[in-house]
Amino acid sequence: MRIRPVQFVLILGLCITLYAQKEPAGQQSPLLGFDRDGSSRERALEKQFDSFIKKDDLRDWMKRLSARPHHLGSAYDKENAEFIASLFRSWGFDTAIERFDVLFPTPKTRILEMTAPQKFVAKLEEPALPQDATSGQRSEQLPVYNAYSVNGDVTGELVYANYGNQQDYEELARRGIDVRGKIVIVRYGNSFRGVKPKIAAEHGAIGCIIYSDPRDDGYFAGDVYPQGAWRNEMGAQRGSVADLPLYAGDPLTPGIGATPDAKRLDLKDPGTTLTKIPVLPISYSDALPLLRALDGPVAPTSWRGALPITYHLGPGKAVLHLVLEFDFNTVPAYDVIAQLRGSEFPDEWIIRGNHHDAWVNGAEDPISGMIAVLAEAQSVGQLVKTGWRPRRTIIYCAWDGEEQALIGSTEWAESHAAELQRKAVLYVNSDNNARGFLSVGGSHTLEKFINDVARDVLDPEKQVPVFERWRARAILEGSAENRREARDRPDMRIAALGSGSDYTPFLQHLGIPSVDLRYGGEGETDGVYHSIYDSFDHYTRFADPGFHYAAALAMTAGRTVLRFANADYLPLSVSNLTDTVARYITEVTKLSKDESDAIAEKNRNIDNNTYDLVADPTQRSVTPPKEPPATGLNFTPLQNALTRLQQSTRNYDAALRDASTSTRLKSRDTQQLLDSALRQIETALVDERGLPRRPWFKHMIYAPGFYTGYGAKTLPGVREAIEQHKWNEAAEQIAIVASTLERTASQIDRATSVVKGTGVRPLVP
Ligand SMILES: [Zn+2]
């Protein structure tokens, strides 16, 4: 039985949650978007859905799909797409494979050698292991490399630049180290790998090496594979270095589907997402001789990894020679699209996807998520056999080419953009999955809904709702504010989505409400990420041996899809959106003041000679240049728009409360009108002009950081302009976001009118 929080009471100044134990299912609180009877029926259906999920199926599918390397363009990638399509068909879905023709470079030449102070040639190979049955499939494995690096033959002195972030180069500059004309070596982690060569090139480096430091995912983290789960000395991380914060998808067809007749950019076009300098990933056994040969200043404490050396910054005696040459092939990408038509609102689409391609065998990434999609589709197929039909259309998708540039999802979303903007009501994503805690990122209109889902899925290890473990972890491990909120706020907060998986084209390009679901934190998977050791053998020892969390993911995403498909009206909550936007506005307002103070402080220290007084005369140090003072920003337009948004939100919630006792929301016409109004709340957050210098990204609330990649930047236009001290641009972006929020408030007002039954006519399709 489930345990549910029912109320909060204040005792001795502490908020304590009371629990009502063992509530009978029929007495659970109604679900968002359903009345009481509808909620009971829905929960009964979900129990039946769960009963069709079999861990043996999950295990068999993973074994089959990860049996051979299946990267984009490979023979087994196509076989997997056909196998997945045949499963969907056998379960009764209207299934098609959609093909796109996309750029996928593979290496012809990879040479990395140190020419001074002594000769060393990097091996650039991961050896097969007897304990790992698929690790020896040499002829089908992609070598260790970074896709979308340019060709290059460069020789230069080596400099160590930590994670290769902006601040790391500022730190080097303060020590008088200039990377112009040099090759930089940076470590994996902390940011998306594609921004590392981007920032290196902006600072004038001519080549970039990315290595896996044992501190981050090797022996410092735990025992290494095959004894333990973590990265061994020869393990290396493949991966895309496309400039994905610029645009996602095939580098040659931004904004349009990569169909055979699509107009393509030239490979030499400076506006593509290819890197500007050659870049290559290496293992720590290949990195050690290079880092050992570095001289120059000792690296700052926080830059030091776990190799048995003193980390130096260079440059100096260590000289590298890097040669990379690629075949810039066009290869087919195969998306599998399986549809089940809705009985009442067939033109409202719920899309559920995961990618099927991997870098090598990819048991964890992506098959651990893909098998959940299969289990969900199989269960839905079983439900259909009992006579049930979803009210709205459900579409299951298995994407190709995610690893290169979110290619399959992006090309599909771009090809069907107009139809998706009219019809899609939700995109549900997953990618990799392992034992542990639910983690959720997504549109904040979905926050309340997904908390309800988490209250109804049982954690396989603790037999409590996954919501309870999610909350307990925030209380124990979170900041003071996380702790207070986890205890007092009815809903756990969900993360804002940046990038790194297939939700990006749906949310950030098209403005479709999206959610990303995964379990993890206990299963150990980081150490084999994008290596030949991400295998069935590794997964079943270290990630989720019993496939319990694969089943939990299927039950979580399955509920998400089923509730959206069956609800009287779309279960979106505007109050969670408004609450979150208010926080973001507070954050950027504070950021503006903090940046302005930091500039003033720096300039004052330059004027007062403070840097020079502190500097050690035996070490080289450079005083940073003075900067013009910040221009004060006027946040009033954002505050006014927020006030309007808050008022509209209160009106909508009040109207919905009043309507809950009337029969109006049971009318099909009202439901359709309300869905249409609610769906367009997320669309209203999109501005067709897009973000500065990256018009493909159109969502004004969420984007991947231009210089961080995976991590979300919220209110990105305003926030990044402030971070980059572009004060005029920040002022422009404040006005744009303010009008976006006004538009969103009007859209909420439209939904309110529908709920009240006042003055809204159906839209002519
Ligand atoms: Zn993945």
Side-chain angles (χ1 to χ4, degrees), residues 355 365-366 402-403 431-432 500-501 530:
H355 68 102
D365 181 8
E402 188 269 358
E403 293 297 0
D431 192 327
N432 32 39
S501 198
H530 292 185

Side-chain angles (χ1 to χ4, degrees), residues 354-355 357-359 364-367 402-403 430-432 500-502 518 529-530:
N354 198 102
H355 68 102
D357 69 296
W359 272 112
E364 203 256 342
D365 181 8
I367 301 304
E402 188 269 358
E403 293 297 0
S430 59
D431 192 327
N432 32 39
S501 198
D502 291 306
R518 58 190 75 195
Y529 176 63
H530 292 185

